[in-house]
Amino acid sequence: MNLALFDLDNTILAGDSDYNWSRFLIQEGYLDGKIHAEKNEKFYADYKAGTLDIYAFVEFQFKPLARNPRSVLNQLLKKYVDEIIKPMITEKAIALVKKHHEEGDLLIVITATNSFITKPIAALFGIENLIGTDPEEKEGEFTGKVAGLPSFKEGKVTRLEAWLKSKHLSFADFQKSYFYSDSHNDLPLMQRVTHPVAVDSDDILTEYAKSKGWPQISLR
């Protein structure tokens, strides 16, 4: 069995689910448009530049989860997935995931975006296993804090190794390990697998992939 890891945003998804979730909440009247949009743009620019303070970003992104009842959030998420996310899924991305399914690989979506948003998105690809940044819950409601280590940069490696260990597995149990990503922020995990693949990658990852001879593909 091989291991197939997929970053989500701008990789198998033709867009960013975290960034667009904030825009969606503004559109639906759950966030102040001007204040939140400016901060959202700044965090997104920091992410692309590789300078994102993940804890500051998580605190910012999780505030709307804490302000609203879970029942309301669940309804909003369903509408968001139907209206915003589904159009971001391309035939090429579906075909890539299907190929790994048919080959009997262990498939995992591993993303810095919070698991509340991304679990139903992974399910659209038929992927049951998800490692995301987990929002803290108490009695079924979100607190606005993060639970455990964010799944970001080196945190993705740590979280993945812990997940595999919980299944009595390790990297050594797989003949091949694939990781598909668009972002240089994912280099720590890309350097850990046997088959890293740059997907519609940013400029930094594109140059690094060229220097290492890594495959570069487009799913758009």
Side-chain angles (χ1 to χ4, degrees), residues 2 20 24 27 29 36 47 53 64 79-80 92-93 98 116 121 125 138 148 151 157 159 164 176 179 183 204:
N2 296 325
N20 282 288
F24 173 76
Q27 171 193 305
H36 201 91
Y47 171 80
D53 180 338
K79 183 177 183 181
Y80 174 64
K92 287 183 178 181
K98 183 180 179 182
F116 171 68
I121 302 174
F125 288 92
K138 287 187 179 178
S151 177
V157 179
R159 290 284 307 278
L164 290 172
K176 297 177 182 177
F179 181 35
S183 175
I204 296 174

Side-chain angles (χ1 to χ4, degrees), residues 73-188:
L73 292 168
N74 288 342
Q75 291 175 351
L76 283 169
L77 181 59
K78 184 179 186 307
K79 183 177 183 181
Y80 174 64
V81 169
D82 287 342
E83 294 183 2
I84 308 299
I85 294 299
K86 287 182 178 178
M88 294 184 187
I89 298 175
T90 68
E91 291 184 6
K92 287 183 178 181
I94 290 290
L96 174 65
V97 172
K98 183 180 179 182
K99 174 178 176 290
H100 282 284
H101 267 304
E102 291 176 344
E103 291 176 356
D105 298 342
L106 174 61
L107 278 62
I108 305 172
V109 168
I110 184 161
T111 174
T113 301
N114 77 75
S115 53
F116 171 68
I117 296 174
T118 53
K119 190 168 183 59
I121 302 174
L124 292 176
F125 288 92
I127 300 176
E128 296 179 4
N129 304 308
L130 170 78
I131 298 172
T133 299
D134 296 321
E136 182 184 72
E137 296 182 47
K138 287 187 179 178
E139 298 180 357
E141 300 292 338
F142 295 117
T143 68
K145 298 178 181 179
V146 64
L149 181 70
S151 177
F152 182 62
K153 289 190 173 180
E154 291 81 1
K156 282 193 176 182
V157 179
T158 303
R159 290 284 307 278
L160 175 60
E161 289 177 340
W163 187 93
L164 290 172
K165 186 176 180 181
S166 74
K167 306 293 183 184
H168 307 288
L169 294 169
S170 70
F171 275 103
D173 293 307
F174 302 98
Q175 183 177 4
K176 297 177 182 177
S177 52
Y178 298 84
F179 181 35
Y180 298 89
S181 178
D182 72 295
S183 175
H184 67 279
N185 288 295
D186 282 333
L187 280 171

